[in-house]
PDB file of all heavy atoms in Angstrom:
ATOM      1  N   ASP C  87      -0.987 -18.161  34.565  1.00  0.00           N
ATOM      2  CA  ASP C  87       0.370 -18.365  34.055  1.00  0.00           C
ATOM      3  C   ASP C  87       0.697 -17.365  32.946  1.00  0.00           C
ATOM      4  O   ASP C  87       1.825 -16.860  32.859  1.00  0.00           O
ATOM      5  CB  ASP C  87       0.529 -19.790  33.517  1.00  0.00           C
ATOM      6  CG  ASP C  87       0.410 -20.847  34.603  1.00  0.00           C
ATOM      7  OD1 ASP C  87       0.543 -20.472  35.798  1.00  0.00           O
ATOM      8  OD2 ASP C  87       0.179 -22.026  34.268  1.00  0.00           O
ATOM      9  N   ALA C  88      -0.280 -17.081  32.096  1.00  0.00           N
ATOM     10  CA  ALA C  88      -0.049 -16.132  31.007  1.00  0.00           C
ATOM     11  C   ALA C  88       0.234 -14.738  31.546  1.00  0.00           C
ATOM     12  O   ALA C  88       1.127 -14.033  31.051  1.00  0.00           O
ATOM     13  CB  ALA C  88      -1.263 -16.106  30.082  1.00  0.00           C
ATOM     14  N   VAL C  89      -0.512 -14.338  32.565  1.00  0.00           N
ATOM     15  CA  VAL C  89      -0.292 -13.017  33.152  1.00  0.00           C
ATOM     16  C   VAL C  89       1.069 -12.949  33.829  1.00  0.00           C
ATOM     17  O   VAL C  89       1.807 -11.960  33.696  1.00  0.00           O
ATOM     18  CB  VAL C  89      -1.425 -12.681  34.140  1.00  0.00           C
ATOM     19  CG1 VAL C  89      -1.103 -11.389  34.898  1.00  0.00           C
ATOM     20  CG2 VAL C  89      -2.753 -12.547  33.409  1.00  0.00           C
ATOM     21  N   GLU C  90       1.426 -13.986  34.551  1.00  0.00           N
ATOM     22  CA  GLU C  90       2.734 -13.990  35.222  1.00  0.00           C
ATOM     23  C   GLU C  90       3.883 -13.924  34.218  1.00  0.00           C
ATOM     24  O   GLU C  90       4.872 -13.221  34.424  1.00  0.00           O
ATOM     25  CB  GLU C  90       2.869 -15.237  36.101  1.00  0.00           C
ATOM     26  CG  GLU C  90       2.080 -15.161  37.392  1.00  0.00           C
ATOM     27  CD  GLU C  90       2.432 -13.921  38.200  1.00  0.00           C
ATOM     28  OE1 GLU C  90       3.651 -13.688  38.435  1.00  0.00           O
ATOM     29  OE2 GLU C  90       1.514 -13.171  38.569  1.00  0.00           O
ATOM     30  N   ALA C  91       3.754 -14.647  33.117  1.00  0.00           N
ATOM     31  CA  ALA C  91       4.803 -14.625  32.098  1.00  0.00           C
ATOM     32  C   ALA C  91       4.923 -13.234  31.480  1.00  0.00           C
ATOM     33  O   ALA C  91       6.038 -12.740  31.244  1.00  0.00           O
ATOM     34  CB  ALA C  91       4.506 -15.662  31.029  1.00  0.00           C
ATOM     35  N   LEU C  92       3.778 -12.601  31.231  1.00  0.00           N
ATOM     36  CA  LEU C  92       3.810 -11.261  30.651  1.00  0.00           C
ATOM     37  C   LEU C  92       4.369 -10.253  31.633  1.00  0.00           C
ATOM     38  O   LEU C  92       5.165  -9.371  31.268  1.00  0.00           O
ATOM     39  CB  LEU C  92       2.392 -10.855  30.232  1.00  0.00           C
ATOM     40  CG  LEU C  92       2.248  -9.522  29.497  1.00  0.00           C
ATOM     41  CD1 LEU C  92       3.030  -9.536  28.186  1.00  0.00           C
ATOM     42  CD2 LEU C  92       0.779  -9.222  29.233  1.00  0.00           C
ATOM     43  N   ARG C  93       4.003 -10.395  32.911  1.00  0.00           N
ATOM     44  CA  ARG C  93       4.509  -9.460  33.914  1.00  0.00           C
ATOM     45  C   ARG C  93       6.022  -9.627  34.102  1.00  0.00           C
ATOM     46  O   ARG C  93       6.735  -8.654  34.358  1.00  0.00           O
ATOM     47  CB  ARG C  93       3.786  -9.667  35.236  1.00  0.00           C
ATOM     48  CG  ARG C  93       4.024  -8.549  36.240  1.00  0.00           C
ATOM     49  CD  ARG C  93       3.268  -8.784  37.526  1.00  0.00           C
ATOM     50  NE  ARG C  93       1.827  -8.744  37.350  1.00  0.00           N
ATOM     51  CZ  ARG C  93       1.132  -7.615  37.264  1.00  0.00           C
ATOM     52  NH1 ARG C  93       1.754  -6.445  37.302  1.00  0.00           N
ATOM     53  NH2 ARG C  93      -0.174  -7.665  37.131  1.00  0.00           N
ATOM     54  N   ALA C  94       6.511 -10.840  33.936  1.00  0.00           N
ATOM     55  CA  ALA C  94       7.955 -11.065  34.039  1.00  0.00           C
ATOM     56  C   ALA C  94       8.707 -10.350  32.920  1.00  0.00           C
ATOM     57  O   ALA C  94       9.825  -9.859  33.121  1.00  0.00           O
ATOM     58  CB  ALA C  94       8.253 -12.562  34.011  1.00  0.00           C
ATOM     59  N   GLN C  95       8.078 -10.297  31.748  1.00  0.00           N
ATOM     60  CA  GLN C  95       8.701  -9.596  30.624  1.00  0.00           C
ATOM     61  C   GLN C  95       8.612  -8.083  30.781  1.00  0.00           C
ATOM     62  O   GLN C  95       9.492  -7.354  30.303  1.00  0.00           O
ATOM     63  CB  GLN C  95       8.027 -10.004  29.322  1.00  0.00           C
ATOM     64  CG  GLN C  95       8.179 -11.470  28.950  1.00  0.00           C
ATOM     65  CD  GLN C  95       7.363 -11.822  27.727  1.00  0.00           C
ATOM     66  OE1 GLN C  95       6.919 -10.957  26.972  1.00  0.00           O
ATOM     67  NE2 GLN C  95       7.124 -13.115  27.526  1.00  0.00           N
ATOM     68  N   HIS C  96       7.536  -7.614  31.449  1.00  0.00           N
ATOM     69  CA  HIS C  96       7.307  -6.174  31.588  1.00  0.00           C
ATOM     70  C   HIS C  96       6.985  -5.866  33.054  1.00  0.00           C
ATOM     71  O   HIS C  96       5.829  -5.591  33.406  1.00  0.00           O
ATOM     72  CB  HIS C  96       6.157  -5.738  30.679  1.00  0.00           C
ATOM     73  CG  HIS C  96       6.333  -6.146  29.252  1.00  0.00           C
ATOM     74  ND1 HIS C  96       7.168  -5.474  28.382  1.00  0.00           N
ATOM     75  CD2 HIS C  96       5.790  -7.178  28.542  1.00  0.00           C
ATOM     76  CE1 HIS C  96       7.125  -6.060  27.189  1.00  0.00           C
ATOM     77  NE2 HIS C  96       6.309  -7.091  27.267  1.00  0.00           N
ATOM     78  N   PRO C  97       7.977  -5.911  33.921  1.00  0.00           N
ATOM     79  CA  PRO C  97       7.705  -5.785  35.366  1.00  0.00           C
ATOM     80  C   PRO C  97       7.145  -4.431  35.780  1.00  0.00           C
ATOM     81  O   PRO C  97       6.495  -4.338  36.826  1.00  0.00           O
ATOM     82  CB  PRO C  97       9.078  -6.043  35.995  1.00  0.00           C
ATOM     83  CG  PRO C  97      10.067  -5.772  34.910  1.00  0.00           C
ATOM     84  CD  PRO C  97       9.392  -6.165  33.637  1.00  0.00           C
ATOM     85  N   GLN C  98       7.356  -3.395  34.989  1.00  0.00           N
ATOM     86  CA  GLN C  98       6.866  -2.070  35.349  1.00  0.00           C
ATOM     87  C   GLN C  98       5.526  -1.736  34.692  1.00  0.00           C
ATOM     88  O   GLN C  98       5.016  -0.624  34.843  1.00  0.00           O
ATOM     89  CB  GLN C  98       7.896  -1.013  34.936  1.00  0.00           C
ATOM     90  CG  GLN C  98       9.278  -1.223  35.535  1.00  0.00           C
ATOM     91  CD  GLN C  98       9.257  -1.265  37.055  1.00  0.00           C
ATOM     92  OE1 GLN C  98       8.589  -0.438  37.696  1.00  0.00           O
ATOM     93  NE2 GLN C  98       9.968  -2.214  37.632  1.00  0.00           N
ATOM     94  N   ALA C  99       4.950  -2.678  33.965  1.00  0.00           N
ATOM     95  CA  ALA C  99       3.723  -2.402  33.218  1.00  0.00           C
ATOM     96  C   ALA C  99       2.537  -2.187  34.147  1.00  0.00           C
ATOM     97  O   ALA C  99       2.396  -2.856  35.178  1.00  0.00           O
ATOM     98  CB  ALA C  99       3.432  -3.546  32.255  1.00  0.00           C
ATOM     99  N   THR C 100       1.674  -1.270  33.765  1.00  0.00           N
ATOM    100  CA  THR C 100       0.438  -1.039  34.502  1.00  0.00           C
ATOM    101  C   THR C 100      -0.585  -2.107  34.119  1.00  0.00           C
ATOM    102  O   THR C 100      -0.433  -2.796  33.098  1.00  0.00           O
ATOM    103  CB  THR C 100      -0.143   0.339  34.156  1.00  0.00           C
ATOM    104  OG1 THR C 100      -0.536   0.341  32.777  1.00  0.00           O
ATOM    105  CG2 THR C 100       0.902   1.434  34.394  1.00  0.00           C
ATOM    106  N   PRO C 101      -1.653  -2.243  34.898  1.00  0.00           N
ATOM    107  CA  PRO C 101      -2.715  -3.183  34.486  1.00  0.00           C
ATOM    108  C   PRO C 101      -3.273  -2.875  33.100  1.00  0.00           C
ATOM    109  O   PRO C 101      -3.575  -3.797  32.331  1.00  0.00           O
ATOM    110  CB  PRO C 101      -3.774  -3.015  35.578  1.00  0.00           C
ATOM    111  CG  PRO C 101      -2.995  -2.606  36.783  1.00  0.00           C
ATOM    112  CD  PRO C 101      -1.899  -1.729  36.260  1.00  0.00           C
ATOM    113  N   GLY C 102      -3.407  -1.602  32.769  1.00  0.00           N
ATOM    114  CA  GLY C 102      -3.897  -1.250  31.444  1.00  0.00           C
ATOM    115  C   GLY C 102      -2.950  -1.711  30.348  1.00  0.00           C
ATOM    116  O   GLY C 102      -3.388  -2.204  29.301  1.00  0.00           O
ATOM    117  N   GLU C 103      -1.661  -1.551  30.575  1.00  0.00           N
ATOM    118  CA  GLU C 103      -0.682  -1.992  29.585  1.00  0.00           C
ATOM    119  C   GLU C 103      -0.684  -3.507  29.442  1.00  0.00           C
ATOM    120  O   GLU C 103      -0.576  -4.037  28.327  1.00  0.00           O
ATOM    121  CB  GLU C 103       0.704  -1.477  29.973  1.00  0.00           C
ATOM    122  CG  GLU C 103       0.857   0.026  29.819  1.00  0.00           C
ATOM    123  CD  GLU C 103       2.115   0.562  30.462  1.00  0.00           C
ATOM    124  OE1 GLU C 103       2.664  -0.113  31.371  1.00  0.00           O
ATOM    125  OE2 GLU C 103       2.553   1.655  30.065  1.00  0.00           O
ATOM    126  N   LEU C 104      -0.801  -4.207  30.539  1.00  0.00           N
ATOM    127  CA  LEU C 104      -0.861  -5.675  30.473  1.00  0.00           C
ATOM    128  C   LEU C 104      -2.126  -6.141  29.762  1.00  0.00           C
ATOM    129  O   LEU C 104      -2.082  -7.052  28.928  1.00  0.00           O
ATOM    130  CB  LEU C 104      -0.799  -6.263  31.882  1.00  0.00           C
ATOM    131  CG  LEU C 104       0.509  -6.087  32.656  1.00  0.00           C
ATOM    132  CD1 LEU C 104       0.354  -6.582  34.087  1.00  0.00           C
ATOM    133  CD2 LEU C 104       1.657  -6.823  31.962  1.00  0.00           C
ATOM    134  N   ARG C 105      -3.225  -5.510  30.098  1.00  0.00           N
ATOM    135  CA  ARG C 105      -4.500  -5.884  29.470  1.00  0.00           C
ATOM    136  C   ARG C 105      -4.449  -5.627  27.965  1.00  0.00           C
ATOM    137  O   ARG C 105      -4.873  -6.465  27.159  1.00  0.00           O
ATOM    138  CB  ARG C 105      -5.625  -5.086  30.118  1.00  0.00           C
ATOM    139  CG  ARG C 105      -7.029  -5.490  29.704  1.00  0.00           C
ATOM    140  CD  ARG C 105      -8.027  -4.590  30.424  1.00  0.00           C
ATOM    141  NE  ARG C 105      -9.411  -4.900  30.078  1.00  0.00           N
ATOM    142  CZ  ARG C 105     -10.449  -4.150  30.448  1.00  0.00           C
ATOM    143  NH1 ARG C 105     -10.241  -3.046  31.194  1.00  0.00           N
ATOM    144  NH2 ARG C 105     -11.679  -4.475  30.094  1.00  0.00           N
ATOM    145  N   SER C 106      -3.908  -4.479  27.566  1.00  0.00           N
ATOM    146  CA  SER C 106      -3.778  -4.148  26.155  1.00  0.00           C
ATOM    147  C   SER C 106      -2.886  -5.158  25.438  1.00  0.00           C
ATOM    148  O   SER C 106      -3.194  -5.604  24.324  1.00  0.00           O
ATOM    149  CB  SER C 106      -3.209  -2.740  25.990  1.00  0.00           C
ATOM    150  OG  SER C 106      -2.919  -2.459  24.639  1.00  0.00           O
ATOM    151  N   ALA C 107      -1.777  -5.516  26.077  1.00  0.00           N
ATOM    152  CA  ALA C 107      -0.852  -6.472  25.459  1.00  0.00           C
ATOM    153  C   ALA C 107      -1.508  -7.831  25.270  1.00  0.00           C
ATOM    154  O   ALA C 107      -1.323  -8.487  24.233  1.00  0.00           O
ATOM    155  CB  ALA C 107       0.401  -6.607  26.316  1.00  0.00           C
ATOM    156  N   LEU C 108      -2.295  -8.265  26.243  1.00  0.00           N
ATOM    157  CA  LEU C 108      -2.977  -9.556  26.136  1.00  0.00           C
ATOM    158  C   LEU C 108      -4.006  -9.539  25.005  1.00  0.00           C
ATOM    159  O   LEU C 108      -4.098 -10.487  24.214  1.00  0.00           O
ATOM    160  CB  LEU C 108      -3.658  -9.901  27.453  1.00  0.00           C
ATOM    161  CG  LEU C 108      -2.728 -10.350  28.583  1.00  0.00           C
ATOM    162  CD1 LEU C 108      -3.431 -10.234  29.932  1.00  0.00           C
ATOM    163  CD2 LEU C 108      -2.252 -11.777  28.346  1.00  0.00           C
ATOM    164  N   ILE C 109      -4.775  -8.452  24.912  1.00  0.00           N
ATOM    165  CA  ILE C 109      -5.782  -8.348  23.857  1.00  0.00           C
ATOM    166  C   ILE C 109      -5.111  -8.301  22.482  1.00  0.00           C
ATOM    167  O   ILE C 109      -5.505  -9.007  21.547  1.00  0.00           O
ATOM    168  CB  ILE C 109      -6.657  -7.106  24.077  1.00  0.00           C
ATOM    169  CG1 ILE C 109      -7.526  -7.275  25.330  1.00  0.00           C
ATOM    170  CG2 ILE C 109      -7.540  -6.836  22.860  1.00  0.00           C
ATOM    171  CD1 ILE C 109      -8.264  -6.016  25.745  1.00  0.00           C
ATOM    172  N   GLY C 110      -4.088  -7.468  22.362  1.00  0.00           N
ATOM    173  CA  GLY C 110      -3.407  -7.328  21.081  1.00  0.00           C
ATOM    174  C   GLY C 110      -2.748  -8.612  20.624  1.00  0.00           C
ATOM    175  O   GLY C 110      -2.798  -8.971  19.445  1.00  0.00           O
ATOM    176  N   ASP C 111      -2.140  -9.322  21.548  1.00  0.00           N
ATOM    177  CA  ASP C 111      -1.480 -10.577  21.182  1.00  0.00           C
ATOM    178  C   ASP C 111      -2.510 -11.634  20.789  1.00  0.00           C
ATOM    179  O   ASP C 111      -2.315 -12.379  19.826  1.00  0.00           O
ATOM    180  CB  ASP C 111      -0.630 -11.085  22.345  1.00  0.00           C
ATOM    181  CG  ASP C 111       0.222 -12.277  21.946  1.00  0.00           C
ATOM    182  OD1 ASP C 111       1.069 -12.134  21.042  1.00  0.00           O
ATOM    183  OD2 ASP C 111       0.044 -13.357  22.540  1.00  0.00           O
ATOM    184  N   ALA C 112      -3.623 -11.684  21.519  1.00  0.00           N
ATOM    185  CA  ALA C 112      -4.651 -12.685  21.223  1.00  0.00           C
ATOM    186  C   ALA C 112      -5.307 -12.427  19.874  1.00  0.00           C
ATOM    187  O   ALA C 112      -5.563 -13.363  19.107  1.00  0.00           O
ATOM    188  CB  ALA C 112      -5.702 -12.684  22.329  1.00  0.00           C
ATOM    189  N   LEU C 113      -5.582 -11.168  19.581  1.00  0.00           N
ATOM    190  CA  LEU C 113      -6.267 -10.839  18.335  1.00  0.00           C
ATOM    191  C   LEU C 113      -5.357 -10.915  17.125  1.00  0.00           C
ATOM    192  O   LEU C 113      -5.777 -11.370  16.052  1.00  0.00           O
ATOM    193  CB  LEU C 113      -6.863  -9.435  18.427  1.00  0.00           C
ATOM    194  CG  LEU C 113      -8.079  -9.241  19.322  1.00  0.00           C
ATOM    195  CD1 LEU C 113      -8.400  -7.763  19.437  1.00  0.00           C
ATOM    196  CD2 LEU C 113      -9.278  -9.992  18.752  1.00  0.00           C
ATOM    197  N   PHE C 114      -4.108 -10.451  17.289  1.00  0.00           N
ATOM    198  CA  PHE C 114      -3.261 -10.251  16.123  1.00  0.00           C
ATOM    199  C   PHE C 114      -1.848 -10.817  16.256  1.00  0.00           C
ATOM    200  O   PHE C 114      -1.347 -11.440  15.321  1.00  0.00           O
ATOM    201  CB  PHE C 114      -3.160  -8.750  15.806  1.00  0.00           C
ATOM    202  CG  PHE C 114      -4.484  -8.042  15.805  1.00  0.00           C
ATOM    203  CD1 PHE C 114      -4.792  -7.121  16.786  1.00  0.00           C
ATOM    204  CD2 PHE C 114      -5.423  -8.311  14.834  1.00  0.00           C
ATOM    205  CE1 PHE C 114      -6.012  -6.455  16.797  1.00  0.00           C
ATOM    206  CE2 PHE C 114      -6.659  -7.659  14.830  1.00  0.00           C
ATOM    207  CZ  PHE C 114      -6.956  -6.727  15.820  1.00  0.00           C
ATOM    208  N   GLY C 115      -1.210 -10.588  17.399  1.00  0.00           N
ATOM    209  CA  GLY C 115       0.208 -10.910  17.530  1.00  0.00           C
ATOM    210  C   GLY C 115       0.524 -12.377  17.397  1.00  0.00           C
ATOM    211  O   GLY C 115       1.353 -12.783  16.568  1.00  0.00           O
ATOM    212  N   ALA C 116      -0.119 -13.207  18.207  1.00  0.00           N
ATOM    213  CA  ALA C 116       0.193 -14.638  18.201  1.00  0.00           C
ATOM    214  C   ALA C 116      -0.168 -15.272  16.867  1.00  0.00           C
ATOM    215  O   ALA C 116       0.586 -16.080  16.313  1.00  0.00           O
ATOM    216  CB  ALA C 116      -0.545 -15.336  19.350  1.00  0.00           C
ATOM    217  N   GLY C 117      -1.323 -14.907  16.320  1.00  0.00           N
ATOM    218  CA  GLY C 117      -1.761 -15.482  15.050  1.00  0.00           C
ATOM    219  C   GLY C 117      -0.924 -15.036  13.874  1.00  0.00           C
ATOM    220  O   GLY C 117      -0.735 -15.792  12.911  1.00  0.00           O
ATOM    221  N   SER C 118      -0.410 -13.815  13.925  1.00  0.00           N
ATOM    222  CA  SER C 118       0.490 -13.353  12.865  1.00  0.00           C
ATOM    223  C   SER C 118       1.842 -14.048  12.963  1.00  0.00           C
ATOM    224  O   SER C 118       2.449 -14.402  11.946  1.00  0.00           O
ATOM    225  CB  SER C 118       0.664 -11.835  12.942  1.00  0.00           C
ATOM    226  OG  SER C 118      -0.536 -11.168  12.599  1.00  0.00           O
ATOM    227  N   ALA C 119       2.318 -14.234  14.201  1.00  0.00           N
ATOM    228  CA  ALA C 119       3.596 -14.920  14.383  1.00  0.00           C
ATOM    229  C   ALA C 119       3.529 -16.361  13.879  1.00  0.00           C
ATOM    230  O   ALA C 119       4.454 -16.843  13.203  1.00  0.00           O
ATOM    231  CB  ALA C 119       3.990 -14.889  15.857  1.00  0.00           C
ATOM    232  N   ARG C 120       2.426 -17.036  14.177  1.00  0.00           N
ATOM    233  CA  ARG C 120       2.280 -18.414  13.693  1.00  0.00           C
ATOM    234  C   ARG C 120       2.189 -18.467  12.176  1.00  0.00           C
ATOM    235  O   ARG C 120       2.746 -19.357  11.533  1.00  0.00           O
ATOM    236  CB  ARG C 120       1.052 -19.066  14.323  1.00  0.00           C
ATOM    237  CG  ARG C 120       1.383 -19.794  15.625  1.00  0.00           C
ATOM    238  CD  ARG C 120       0.191 -20.527  16.179  1.00  0.00           C
ATOM    239  NE  ARG C 120      -0.303 -21.592  15.300  1.00  0.00           N
ATOM    240  CZ  ARG C 120      -1.385 -22.315  15.573  1.00  0.00           C
ATOM    241  NH1 ARG C 120      -2.070 -22.087  16.682  1.00  0.00           N
ATOM    242  NH2 ARG C 120      -1.776 -23.260  14.744  1.00  0.00           N
ATOM    243  N   MET C 121       1.486 -17.509  11.597  1.00  0.00           N
ATOM    244  CA  MET C 121       1.380 -17.474  10.145  1.00  0.00           C
ATOM    245  C   MET C 121       2.738 -17.191   9.505  1.00  0.00           C
ATOM    246  O   MET C 121       3.116 -17.828   8.514  1.00  0.00           O
ATOM    247  CB  MET C 121       0.361 -16.420   9.723  1.00  0.00           C
ATOM    248  CG  MET C 121       0.221 -16.260   8.217  1.00  0.00           C
ATOM    249  SD  MET C 121      -0.391 -17.748   7.379  1.00  0.00           S
ATOM    250  CE  MET C 121      -2.163 -17.489   7.497  1.00  0.00           C
ATOM    251  N   ALA C 122       3.472 -16.256  10.062  1.00  0.00           N
ATOM    252  CA  ALA C 122       4.788 -15.929   9.515  1.00  0.00           C
ATOM    253  C   ALA C 122       5.723 -17.130   9.586  1.00  0.00           C
ATOM    254  O   ALA C 122       6.438 -17.436   8.621  1.00  0.00           O
ATOM    255  CB  ALA C 122       5.387 -14.748  10.276  1.00  0.00           C
ATOM    256  N   GLN C 123       5.724 -17.807  10.721  1.00  0.00           N
ATOM    257  CA  GLN C 123       6.593 -18.966  10.854  1.00  0.00           C
ATOM    258  C   GLN C 123       6.185 -20.079   9.897  1.00  0.00           C
ATOM    259  O   GLN C 123       7.039 -20.660   9.207  1.00  0.00           O
ATOM    260  CB  GLN C 123       6.575 -19.488  12.288  1.00  0.00           C
ATOM    261  CG  GLN C 123       7.528 -20.658  12.524  1.00  0.00           C
ATOM    262  CD  GLN C 123       7.563 -21.093  13.978  1.00  0.00           C
ATOM    263  OE1 GLN C 123       6.611 -20.869  14.713  1.00  0.00           O
ATOM    264  NE2 GLN C 123       8.646 -21.705  14.396  1.00  0.00           N
ATOM    265  N   ALA C 124       4.888 -20.366   9.823  1.00  0.00           N
ATOM    266  CA  ALA C 124       4.421 -21.439   8.946  1.00  0.00           C
ATOM    267  C   ALA C 124       4.724 -21.121   7.490  1.00  0.00           C
ATOM    268  O   ALA C 124       5.175 -21.987   6.725  1.00  0.00           O
ATOM    269  CB  ALA C 124       2.923 -21.658   9.142  1.00  0.00           C
ATOM    270  N   HIS C 125       4.487 -19.892   7.079  1.00  0.00           N
ATOM    271  CA  HIS C 125       4.732 -19.513   5.691  1.00  0.00           C
ATOM    272  C   HIS C 125       6.220 -19.556   5.362  1.00  0.00           C
ATOM    273  O   HIS C 125       6.617 -20.017   4.278  1.00  0.00           O
ATOM    274  CB  HIS C 125       4.173 -18.115   5.424  1.00  0.00           C
ATOM    275  CG  HIS C 125       4.235 -17.705   3.988  1.00  0.00           C
ATOM    276  ND1 HIS C 125       5.290 -16.986   3.464  1.00  0.00           N
ATOM    277  CD2 HIS C 125       3.380 -17.930   2.951  1.00  0.00           C
ATOM    278  CE1 HIS C 125       5.076 -16.767   2.180  1.00  0.00           C
ATOM    279  NE2 HIS C 125       3.928 -17.329   1.845  1.00  0.00           N
ATOM    280  N   SER C 126       7.053 -19.106   6.286  1.00  0.00           N
ATOM    281  CA  SER C 126       8.503 -19.087   6.023  1.00  0.00           C
ATOM    282  C   SER C 126       9.070 -20.490   5.858  1.00  0.00           C
ATOM    283  O   SER C 126      10.085 -20.677   5.178  1.00  0.00           O
ATOM    284  CB  SER C 126       9.237 -18.357   7.150  1.00  0.00           C
ATOM    285  OG  SER C 126       9.178 -19.095   8.367  1.00  0.00           O
ATOM    286  N   LEU C 127       8.414 -21.485   6.458  1.00  0.00           N
ATOM    287  CA  LEU C 127       8.909 -22.856   6.378  1.00  0.00           C
ATOM    288  C   LEU C 127       8.490 -23.565   5.095  1.00  0.00           C
ATOM    289  O   LEU C 127       9.088 -24.595   4.747  1.00  0.00           O
ATOM    290  CB  LEU C 127       8.408 -23.658   7.587  1.00  0.00           C
ATOM    291  CG  LEU C 127       8.983 -23.260   8.945  1.00  0.00           C
ATOM    292  CD1 LEU C 127       8.296 -24.042  10.055  1.00  0.00           C
ATOM    293  CD2 LEU C 127      10.491 -23.463   8.987  1.00  0.00           C
ATOM    294  N   MET C 128       7.481 -23.024   4.397  1.00  0.00           N
ATOM    295  CA  MET C 128       6.988 -23.782   3.242  1.00  0.00           C
ATOM    296  C   MET C 128       6.946 -22.982   1.944  1.00  0.00           C
ATOM    297  O   MET C 128       6.752 -23.559   0.883  1.00  0.00           O
ATOM    298  CB  MET C 128       5.605 -24.352   3.542  1.00  0.00           C
ATOM    299  CG  MET C 128       4.534 -23.334   3.901  1.00  0.00           C
ATOM    300  SD  MET C 128       3.626 -22.670   2.491  1.00  0.00           S
ATOM    301  CE  MET C 128       2.790 -24.160   1.957  1.00  0.00           C
ATOM    302  N   SER C 129       7.118 -21.671   1.998  1.00  0.00           N
ATOM    303  CA  SER C 129       7.017 -20.881   0.778  1.00  0.00           C
ATOM    304  C   SER C 129       8.372 -20.725   0.105  1.00  0.00           C
ATOM    305  O   SER C 129       9.397 -20.549   0.772  1.00  0.00           O
ATOM    306  CB  SER C 129       6.443 -19.494   1.084  1.00  0.00           C
ATOM    307  OG  SER C 129       6.449 -18.684  -0.074  1.00  0.00           O
ATOM    308  N   ASN C 130       8.365 -20.753  -1.211  1.00  0.00           N
ATOM    309  CA  ASN C 130       9.596 -20.508  -1.954  1.00  0.00           C
ATOM    310  C   ASN C 130       9.666 -19.087  -2.497  1.00  0.00           C
ATOM    311  O   ASN C 130      10.526 -18.773  -3.317  1.00  0.00           O
ATOM    312  CB  ASN C 130       9.733 -21.512  -3.113  1.00  0.00           C
ATOM    313  CG  ASN C 130       8.510 -21.538  -4.009  1.00  0.00           C
ATOM    314  OD1 ASN C 130       7.815 -20.535  -4.159  1.00  0.00           O
ATOM    315  ND2 ASN C 130       8.232 -22.698  -4.601  1.00  0.00           N
ATOM    316  N   ARG C 131       8.765 -18.223  -2.018  1.00  0.00           N
ATOM    317  CA  ARG C 131       8.731 -16.841  -2.485  1.00  0.00           C
ATOM    318  C   ARG C 131       9.144 -15.826  -1.427  1.00  0.00           C
ATOM    319  O   ARG C 131       9.305 -14.655  -1.738  1.00  0.00           O
ATOM    320  CB  ARG C 131       7.324 -16.495  -2.981  1.00  0.00           C
ATOM    321  CG  ARG C 131       6.849 -17.346  -4.145  1.00  0.00           C
ATOM    322  CD  ARG C 131       7.670 -17.091  -5.387  1.00  0.00           C
ATOM    323  NE  ARG C 131       7.176 -17.858  -6.521  1.00  0.00           N
ATOM    324  CZ  ARG C 131       7.732 -17.847  -7.721  1.00  0.00           C
ATOM    325  NH1 ARG C 131       8.799 -17.109  -7.941  1.00  0.00           N
ATOM    326  NH2 ARG C 131       7.225 -18.591  -8.696  1.00  0.00           N
ATOM    327  N   GLY C 132       9.272 -16.256  -0.185  1.00  0.00           N
ATOM    328  CA  GLY C 132       9.748 -15.350   0.851  1.00  0.00           C
ATOM    329  C   GLY C 132       8.657 -14.818   1.756  1.00  0.00           C
ATOM    330  O   GLY C 132       7.540 -14.521   1.315  1.00  0.00           O
TER     331      GLY C 132
END
């Protein structure tokens, strides 16, 4: 399901591009997005 969702967003992507996107999101992207959202909801400093 994760691969299909990513391919829907990037229909022309090569396997290398999809693989890179999955690795990058797992290591950094998703965790940074969650941190940014969580911090923005509770911090009074921005």
Side-chain angles (χ1 to χ4, degrees):
D87 295 342
V89 172
E90 284 305 309
L92 185 61
R93 193 179 295 280
Q95 296 174 16
H96 307 282
Q98 303 303 316
T100 66
E103 290 168 338
L104 293 174
R105 188 181 180 189
S106 173
L108 286 162
I109 292 171
D111 188 61
L113 288 172
F114 313 111
S118 292
R120 269 185 63 183
M121 177 63 88
Q123 183 176 24
H125 187 267
S126 68
L127 292 174
M128 58 89 66
S129 175
N130 53 30
R131 299 294 183 182

